[in-house]
Amino acid sequence: MRPYALGAAPAPLLLLTGMVSLQFGSAFAKRLFEETGPAGATLLRLLVAAALLCLMSRPAPRLLRTHWRLLLPYGAVLTVMQFAFYEATSRLPLGVVVTLEFSGPLLLAALTSRRALDRLWVALAAAGLLVLGGTRGMDDPVGLAASLLTGAALTGYILLGARVGRAVPGGSGLALGLTVAAVLALPTAPALGLPSPEVLLRPGVLGAALAVAVLTTVVPFSLEFAALRRMPPRVFAVLSTVEPVIAALVGLVLLGEHLSPAQWAAVLGVVAAAVGTAVPASTAPPDTPPAPSDRSPSRKNGVHS
């Protein structure tokens, strides 16, 4: 991706392209589960993504020593989020998981907002989440629990990401956070069902892991970084809320994951609630974008999703 090409493209198009890339990568990861399982795919994705971002941003080691009290919990949250997300998507449709993932940030919005209208939006989202939990989540309680755990971890990721973005310059914070997450994943993955090293080191498996890391990390983060330089925070927040719909469509097209009309209505209800809480949430001037690490609810799985 050449810088001048990104500069010529409309900022909303960059963000939407990044979200599509993220969900295509998540769908591709689901196919990788057949050989590695969710734990193996998570471990490989974290290792490859951390290596790629460290090569791109070249963070100074002193930053890790200086900010380890912040980067350690940040990496731990990333680890939980990635393992929970892949476990959930191995059991439930991609669109359902991404929608349920919004539960954490929406709850955070309800608890921190002083507007009564925001509580009404969250009530609408809760109704949609209950529909999805009742129609698909009860079919697999482990998948439902993993989806909700992803949402809780995403909330921590958003809160810690804002602090990391202020404390660590450029893309070094994310690169170091993913490095910590990859290190923490090494002892965690075997306990969650890791295949043999022979399986993980197959050229085809490593190639698939590289594709997943590029689609879910390098491409969306590069596009988002370019978009945030030219996009008002309000527009960024509103556009980010369409990701559950993108995830549901990608799941339908690539994985054959069909949702019922009630489930589609639930997804759209959560999206509407997210838009309702996001539109008035930003009071920053239009030319002041948020820090790249201060991410919206949609970018879980980018690092996540």
Side-chain angles (χ1 to χ4, degrees), residues 9-302:
L13 178 61
L14 294 179
L15 182 59
L16 291 172
T17 302
M19 287 190 286
V20 171
S21 174
L22 177 63
Q23 297 309 322
F24 266 79
S26 298
F28 194 38
K30 291 193 69 166
R31 296 184 175 180
L32 184 59
F33 296 163
E34 298 175 3
E35 295 191 67
T36 66
T42 303
L43 177 62
L44 288 176
R45 182 221 179 276
L46 285 173
L47 290 171
V48 175
L52 289 174
L53 286 181
C54 283
L55 287 173
M56 293 174 63
S57 61
R58 300 184 182 276
R62 63 176 176 78
L63 293 174
L64 184 57
R65 295 193 299 268
T66 303
H67 301 288
W68 68 269
R69 288 183 178 85
L70 183 57
L71 290 169
L72 183 58
Y74 183 55
V77 166
L78 282 171
T79 305
V80 173
M81 188 166 65
Q82 295 306 307
F83 276 108
F85 180 76
Y86 277 9
E87 183 64 35
T89 54
S90 72
R91 297 169 175 271
L92 296 174
L94 184 61
V96 171
V97 174
V98 173
T99 305
L100 289 171
E101 191 179 17
F102 269 63
S103 59
L106 284 170
L107 178 61
L108 178 65
L111 294 176
T112 57
S113 175
R114 298 178 180 178
R115 299 187 326 135
L117 181 60
D118 282 345
R119 287 166 174 76
L120 293 177
W121 285 122
V122 171
L124 173 62
L129 295 172
L130 286 174
V131 169
L132 290 176
T135 56
R136 294 306 297 258
M138 291 299 101
D139 296 339
D140 195 318
V142 175
L144 175 61
S147 299
L148 297 176
L149 178 59
T150 306
L154 173 60
T155 305
Y157 169 74
I158 293 171
L159 296 174
L160 288 170
R163 296 178 59 190
V164 170
R166 291 190 295 267
V168 185
S172 297
L174 178 63
L176 291 172
L178 276 173
T179 300
V180 172
V183 171
L184 294 176
L186 288 171
T188 303
L192 297 176
L194 198 64
S196 66
E198 290 79 8
V199 173
L200 294 177
L201 295 177
R202 289 176 184 167
V205 170
L206 291 176
L210 175 62
V212 169
V214 170
L215 288 171
T216 61
T217 302
V218 177
V219 171
F221 275 83
S222 298
L223 293 175
E224 182 184 82
F225 187 79
L228 284 173
R229 292 183 179 276
R230 295 180 282 122
M231 178 182 293
R234 179 186 60 81
V235 178
F236 170 76
V238 172
L239 286 177
S240 296
T241 60
V242 306
E243 190 145 18
V245 177
I246 294 175
L249 291 173
V250 170
L252 174 64
V253 173
L254 294 186
L255 303 172
E257 296 176 341
H258 295 271
L259 300 183
S260 68
Q263 291 160 355
W264 272 109
V267 170
L268 294 176
V270 173
V271 169
V275 171
T277 56
V279 167
S282 175
T283 56
D287 58 346
T288 306
S293 293
D294 189 5
R295 308 178 68 78
S296 76
S298 71
R299 197 56 74 220
K300 53 269 152 213
N301 358 250

